[in-house]
Amino acid sequence: MCYYNGRKVSYNEFLRLKNLEKQVTALQKGKAVHKGFDYEDWPVIKPIGKFDFEKVEMEWGFIPDTWRGKKLDTRQKVKDWRNGYVDEKGIYVAGTTTLNAMGEELLLPGKIFREAALNGRCLVMSWGFYESKHIVEMGKRGKPLKQPYTIPHFIKPKNKEVFFMAGIYKPWRDAETGEVKETFSIVTTAANSLMQTIHNSKKRMPVIFTNELAERWIFDDLTEEEILQLATYQYPAEEMEAYTVSKDFVGTDEPTKPFLYDEDGISGNAKTLFS
């Protein structure tokens, strides 16, 4: 879930964290919509010590050092791990997705996110994200079709131009080039009542923070219990808004433009559905 994140071409936002005020300017270039599976860079707030922070570009898609005992130390190995590959025995190994990290499982023993949850917490900047509602269609024989009809929605907190999602990060080193790249995942939790209606297949949502909780996430010395509490925080449904957008929103000049569907998934007039 949350594999599409939105970016404005230009905006200014002031962060007030730890009584500091810094102007964070979003990128003046880049796509209006970022697809997670492109594994590109995204603006992330990273703490510097306990009282300061910086905006850096990190690769969306957490890369662990090893996976099932094998090193992920080259770009080709990471590509195979993400997309799937055929092993030395001729057996296909399915790809692994780490765009998101389940908040409930961050600290479980043996999880690849545990160390990052303890020592690599960050904030992922966003101005809105996209999820699709799944509508089961019936076939000619009265049985549900395997592929449901999907209707995309644009979702954000009310009255916020920019907001912060919980993230965890770690640096990854390419053994062939020596390049060190910081990579991250967005932390997700169980959906609130609004997101259950929209993301009705998996019923998950990103962990969205108030400024106060954002400050705690990156600056405070948190116990494991406190980390788990924040990693499973549900932003209130009544403080969020959502509406349907066109199915081709990724490739349009106005990806957030409202687009109405009728019960059969046919387009109509634009209308906000939830607020």
Side-chain angles (χ1 to χ4, degrees):
M1 62 132 302
C2 191
Y3 295 148
Y4 293 89
N5 204 352
R7 179 197 329 239
K8 277 192 175 180
V9 175
S10 65
Y11 61 78
N12 291 327
E13 178 68 11
F14 288 90
L15 300 181
R16 292 176 176 85
L17 301 174
K18 283 292 181 186
N19 298 319
L20 298 176
E21 185 176 272
K22 283 193 174 182
Q23 186 179 37
V24 175
T25 305
L27 300 182
Q28 300 299 315
K29 59 182 180 178
K31 308 177 209 175
V33 178
H34 185 103
K35 182 180 179 181
F37 289 106
D38 288 340
Y39 298 111
E40 295 176 342
D41 287 353
W42 188 261
V44 172
I45 300 298
K46 172 184 172 182
I48 303 175
K50 295 183 181 298
F51 304 102
D52 207 351
F53 61 90
E54 62 179 342
K55 181 174 73 67
V56 298
E57 295 292 313
M58 294 188 188
E59 182 177 315
W60 188 6
F62 189 95
I63 306 176
D65 294 324
T66 61
W67 181 254
R68 296 180 179 175
K70 295 184 179 181
K71 289 185 177 181
L72 296 176
D73 56 358
T74 68
R75 273 294 172 186
Q76 185 58 53
K77 290 180 182 179
V78 170
K79 183 178 179 181
D80 290 343
W81 170 69
R82 284 171 167 170
N83 299 330
Y85 63 96
V86 177
D87 68 12
E88 58 276 5
K89 297 180 181 179
I91 300 174
Y92 177 73
V93 179
T96 303
T97 301
T98 55
L99 297 172
N100 298 327
M102 294 183 67
E104 300 90 334
E105 299 182 358
L106 282 184
L107 295 173
L108 293 181
K111 285 290 182 179
I112 61 173
F113 301 119
R114 178 177 167 82
E115 179 60 29
L118 292 172
N119 301 301
R121 298 186 299 277
C122 61
L123 300 172
V124 182
M125 298 179 68
S126 180
W127 65 286
F129 61 99
Y130 301 82
E131 287 292 359
S132 289
K133 182 173 183 176
H134 287 215
I135 299 174
V136 177
E137 294 185 293
M138 304 303 291
K140 294 181 179 180
R141 297 183 180 182
K143 294 184 178 181
L145 299 177
K146 291 183 178 180
Q147 294 297 327
Y149 190 85
T150 58
I151 297 180
H153 293 66
F154 178 69
I155 310 151
K156 63 183 288 294
K158 293 179 181 178
N159 304 316
K160 282 184 176 289
E161 184 180 354
V162 67
F163 59 95
F164 305 105
M165 300 176 179
I168 48 97
Y169 77 96
K170 74 173 293 296
W172 171 81
R173 183 179 183 277
D174 188 329
E176 293 181 332
T177 66
E179 177 193 18
V180 176
K181 187 71 177 178
E182 290 179 321
T183 67
F184 76 93
S185 289
I186 294 173
V187 180
T188 69
T189 188
N192 61 25
S193 58
L194 172 63
M195 289 302 300
Q196 286 181 29
T197 302
I198 300 172
H199 197 222
N200 59 339
S201 58
K202 296 183 180 179
K203 297 186 178 181
R204 303 287 298 176
M205 65 179 290
V207 174
I208 300 171
F209 284 144
T210 63
N211 279 8
E212 180 182 358
L213 294 181
E215 176 183 327
R216 289 193 62 205
W217 180 253
I218 63 171
F219 285 128
D220 285 8
D221 291 325
L222 302 174
T223 65
E224 292 195 17
E225 182 180 356
E226 290 171 329
I227 292 173
L228 182 60
Q229 289 175 347
L230 288 176
T232 55
Y233 173 74
Q234 283 184 340
Y235 200 83
E238 62 273 15
E239 295 181 19
M240 297 177 67
E241 59 185 1
Y243 54 81
T244 54
V245 294
S246 173
K247 279 183 168 289
D248 62 351
F249 69 91
V250 175
T252 66
D253 293 332
E254 297 181 278
T256 63
K257 183 178 180 179
F259 191 91
L260 181 66
Y261 298 81
D262 64 20
E263 292 181 357
D264 296 320
I266 301 173
S267 64
N269 296 319
K271 181 182 179 182
T272 299
L273 299 184
F274 306 99
S275 63

